[in-house]
Amino acid sequence: MRLVFGSERNKKVNGGQSTVHGITIFCGLWTVDKNFNKRSKLKIKNTCISILILFSQCISPNSNITDRPDMNNISLAIHGGAGNYTLSDLSLEEQKEYQQKLQEALDRGYDILEKGGSSIDAVEAVIRILEDSPLFNAGKGAVLTSNEKIELDASIMRGSDLAAGAVGGVTIVKNPISAARKVMENSPHVLLMGRGAEAFAKEQHLEIVDPSYFFTEKSRMQLQKIKEEEKLKLKNSEKKDKKFGTVGCVALDKNGNLAAGTSTGGMVNKKFGRVGDSPIIGAGTYADNRTCAVSCTGHGEHFIRNTIAFSVAALMEYKGLSLEQAVDYVVEEKLKRTSGTGGLIAIDKEGNIAMKMNTPSMFRAYRNTKESKVFIF
Ligand code: ASP
């Protein structure tokens, strides 16, 4: 039997001891009571009964909180894509815009956690903000396929029961992350594709938009530039890679539940029908309460081939590595083995955060009980 109350909810407290404390308080008050009149006696009696009721409510025979991390360790990390951009690629105004949007999303997610909301709610809310912004390669600002279409991928995963949902190649769903969540919660499946995913999103009353909603001047120019570069057959090292902007979020809530989500338009000039790592559970997204939550960004084919997101969790579970060690190994060794480029964000069950990339830059931010930081390089 364990006591769970207030800020002390993590401490293992013996129920018998608490009862003893209750009696002590009762007896103490009774001694003082001897010198009081009848009305005061009644008042004190009522107070004592209230205290005893309070104590009895705190003792729950079903509480089983041994070995759970400190529940005040809520934390949240987000990314806005890994890439090759440098300071000179973004004007001061653009840097400010990215910084502000990341901060807004971070604070929204943290606010949910702080108020006792679930990590899955925080992840969805954060990603919706980034999907609605034209700054990122997800939702509104998604990049174009080689035939100038938009095809969006997203996934979400809950660490408490390994439930997961994903959509691939959707063209009319305003917030693919919400469609992924509906697949997880309201269907027997994990991944729905294209027209089937869109029909399901309509059934679930999600917001549907005309494909033109997603097109931006920036995405048109990106496609044109990449096509020109490919015509000139520039070697990889000479290309200025502009394929960044995928978004992701990982969170740990007050109940010790982890969650992860990722949303993207994929890679500029991808073949239509191509699906990357972002909607693939274990590649672009993974969450397991026993280890960690992970969201990836980068050259998706390599994240699929190396099962990057799951690898972080597996190294922790099977080899006992810390989050930091697992992330270092996966990004520095495993991903590089196939010359994969990109990065990831991860949170473990204690609320530790890791954010790592092997590209020159990755938009990223985190907030926990101690600090809040946004990085654009
Ligand atoms: N991983 C995404 C994909 O390959 C792209 C990215 O993260 O930039 O679809």
Side-chain angles (χ1 to χ4, degrees):
M1 186 155 45
R2 308 205 184 284
L3 251 190
V4 190
F5 65 106
S7 58
E8 302 246 342
R9 55 195 289 194
N10 243 348
K11 292 187 183 156
K12 296 173 195 172
V13 183
N14 180 290
Q17 256 179 345
S18 311
T19 314
V20 171
H21 289 157
I23 291 166
T24 312
I25 293 168
F26 187 87
C27 294
L29 288 168
W30 184 252
T31 319
V32 179
D33 181 53
K34 277 195 287 193
N35 309 320
F36 278 29
N37 61 25
K38 255 189 171 180
R39 255 180 81 196
S40 306
K41 264 188 192 171
L42 194 71
K43 253 191 194 169
I44 291 177
K45 199 175 155 198
N46 288 343
T47 313
C48 289
I49 289 168
S50 308
I51 290 170
L52 285 175
I53 289 171
L54 199 75
F55 269 94
S56 70
Q57 281 174 348
C58 291
I59 301 167
S60 152
N62 293 325
S63 302
N64 179 17
I65 57 159
T66 46
D67 301 320
R68 280 173 67 182
D70 180 353
M71 296 310 169
N72 292 316
N73 269 354
I74 54 169
S75 56
L76 186 106
I78 66 179
H79 72 76
N84 279 339
Y85 56 95
T86 55
L87 253 179
S88 58
D89 293 312
L90 295 176
S91 68
L92 277 179
E93 190 52 38
E94 284 172 320
Q95 290 178 36
K96 216 169 119 195
E97 274 173 15
Y98 277 106
Q99 206 133 16
Q100 278 171 352
K101 196 44 85 175
L102 289 167
Q103 189 74 59
E104 179 192 334
L106 187 71
D107 292 345
R108 172 83 185 101
Y110 195 80
D111 190 47
I112 292 174
L113 297 178
E114 215 169 25
K115 288 182 176 143
S118 70
S119 50
I120 206 87
D121 281 347
V123 165
E124 183 187 3
V126 163
I127 293 182
R128 282 179 68 99
I129 290 177
L130 301 173
E131 283 178 340
D132 289 344
S133 162
L135 294 173
F136 301 95
N137 171 18
K140 175 73 186 144
V143 298
L144 299 177
T145 62
S146 56
N147 63 346
E148 301 191 19
K149 296 271 180 331
I150 297 277
E151 291 180 353
L152 309 169
D153 303 331
S155 66
I156 196 161
M157 185 161 184
R158 196 164 61 198
S160 56
D161 57 356
L162 306 186
V167 291
V170 293
T171 60
I172 53 169
V173 181
K174 184 168 180 257
N175 293 106
I177 194 68
S178 297
R181 183 167 179 183
K182 293 285 187 197
V183 171
M184 175 177 85
E185 289 175 346
N186 298 343
S187 91
H189 307 299
V190 169
L191 172 58
L192 289 181
M193 292 295 301
R195 278 182 300 132
E198 289 166 357
F200 178 74
K202 283 181 193 166
E203 257 171 56
Q204 297 292 315
H205 308 293
L206 291 179
E207 193 171 350
I208 301 299
V209 290
D210 187 84
S212 61
Y213 160 81
F214 297 107
F215 284 69
T216 62
E217 199 40 44
K218 188 169 122 194
S219 59
R220 280 205 182 85
M221 278 164 58
Q222 275 174 333
L223 181 64
Q224 210 180 333
K225 190 157 182 285
I226 291 266
K227 283 192 165 173
E228 273 163 23
E229 281 174 354
E230 278 178 4
K231 253 192 232 149
L232 294 171
K233 295 209 171 3
L234 288 181
K235 278 187 241 126
N236 266 342
S237 57
E238 295 170 59
K239 281 186 202 168
K240 194 80 186 168
D241 189 353
K242 293 277 188 182
K243 306 170 188 177
F244 57 87
T246 291
V247 304
C249 178
V250 290
L252 173 68
D253 65 28
K254 284 188 176 172
N255 291 317
N257 288 320
L258 288 162
T262 313
S263 181
T264 190
M267 315 250 311
V268 190
N269 201 26
K270 67 183 181 182
K271 281 198 184 304
F272 72 93
R274 176 262 188 191
V275 176
D277 61 312
S278 306
I280 308 291
I281 297 301
T285 302
Y286 198 73
D288 181 347
N289 274 10
R290 289 170 302 176
T291 50
C292 62
V294 184
S295 170
C296 302
T297 167
H299 195 149
E301 281 69 9
H302 294 273
F303 283 75
I304 297 173
R305 289 163 64 195
N306 289 297
T307 52
I308 290 297
F310 175 68
S311 292
V312 177
L315 284 169
M316 293 177 75
E317 185 178 352
Y318 305 148
K319 288 205 115 188
L321 298 196
S322 69
L323 182 78
E324 197 186 347
Q325 288 168 333
V327 166
D328 281 355
Y329 179 79
V330 166
V331 177
E332 284 170 10
E333 307 286 332
K334 198 168 184 198
L335 190 56
K336 277 199 181 153
R337 222 183 288 153
T338 63
S339 305
T341 51
L344 60 85
I345 53 168
I347 291 189
D348 70 13
K349 61 182 181 173
E350 262 92 39
N352 297 306
I353 294 170
M355 308 196 288
K356 198 170 181 81
M357 67 277 191
N358 64 21
T359 50
S361 37
M362 178 167 80
F363 294 123
R364 62 202 184 280
Y366 72 87
R367 189 166 165 194
N368 56 26
T369 47
K370 293 182 199 91
E371 53 194 0
S372 170
K373 290 211 161 109
V374 176
F375 305 87
I376 55 172
F377 293 104

